[in-house]
Amino acid sequence: MDAGDESAERSAAANLGHFYEEHLAQARQHENMRATVSSTLAAIAAAVIA
């Protein structure tokens, strides 16, 4: 394996790491949005029932 191959592998690993970090950020955003919508709908349902 020459230096070019090693550089390409490091670059690919860095890209995968970046994609994983982005995936985690989107998952956190999705969970926060789900919690917000659930809380809002529960509050509206409670207000309608009361």
Side-chain angles (χ1 to χ4, degrees):
M1 183 178 340
D2 64 0
D5 290 340
E6 290 176 12
S7 177
E9 285 183 16
R10 272 188 248 119
S11 178
N15 282 339
L16 287 176
H18 173 72
F19 291 144
Y20 182 68
E21 292 295 326
E22 186 175 330
H23 172 73
L24 290 178
Q26 289 178 354
R28 278 191 297 273
Q29 181 181 10
H30 179 267
E31 180 60 22
N32 289 339
M33 182 65 77
R34 185 208 58 79
T36 301
V37 169
S38 295
S39 297
T40 302
L41 291 177
I44 291 171
V48 168
I49 292 172

